[in-house]
Amino acid sequence: MNPKIFFVFVLLPNLISESFQNPNPKTPKSTPSRAHVELTNYGFPVGLLPATTVLGYAVNDTSGDFSVRLGGACKITLPPDNYIATYSDTITGKIVKGRIAELDGIRVRAFFKWWSITGIRSSGDDIVFEVGMVTAKYPSKNFDDSPACEGQHSAS
């Protein structure tokens, strides 16, 4: 058999199909920051924080007061309803097992208006977002992965 024909009909289709099945098998998953890991210690998924550089993180174990400093403000699209959310460069609040209260630094756009998310609860397999007295419940699996900031590359 002619080597050129062998390459075109046997080797080339195999190379093409392998590249489509696993286009980048060596892409490592970025290492989560201490703040991302700490969320899981309190019963929350890491995806509540965007996949961006965390410059600083502090929590007072007695009071639950916490502060997260991001590498800059960040805009993401929240699953599953595709709401736009913005994160300030500093996020503060109080955290205890299964509950974040007095939250400041995360806003979501809904019904043509920006609303501050004031609290987040972990309730079984669900995450409950609080906007004042209004709540919205979503499956926590929607937040298993940290979303990238729009217009930026992940750098955690």
Side-chain angles (χ1 to χ4, degrees), residues 8-108:
V8 170
F9 287 107
V10 177
L11 294 179
L12 186 61
N14 285 337
L15 290 173
I16 292 171
S17 73
E18 284 180 23
S19 68
F20 282 116
Q21 288 174 0
N22 197 358
N24 197 358
K26 305 249 188 245
T27 302
K29 209 169 185 180
S30 61
T31 305
S33 73
R34 189 174 136 233
H36 288 88
V37 171
E38 195 73 17
L39 278 172
T40 63
N41 294 337
Y42 285 95
F44 294 99
V46 296
L48 291 180
L49 278 176
T52 188
T53 302
V54 175
L55 299 177
Y57 169 74
V59 65
N60 180 316
D61 292 329
T62 305
S63 69
D65 290 335
F66 74 90
S67 175
V68 178
R69 277 188 328 120
L70 303 178
C74 175
K75 181 171 89 170
I76 64 166
T77 302
L78 290 173
D81 296 330
N82 295 324
Y83 288 118
I84 302 296
T86 60
Y87 288 74
S88 299
D89 58 356
T90 301
I91 301 159
T92 60
K94 287 185 178 277
I95 190 167
V96 295
K97 186 78 171 168
R99 179 149 173 70
I100 300 172
E102 299 177 30
L103 187 59
D104 186 44
I106 305 174
R107 294 170 26 115
V108 64

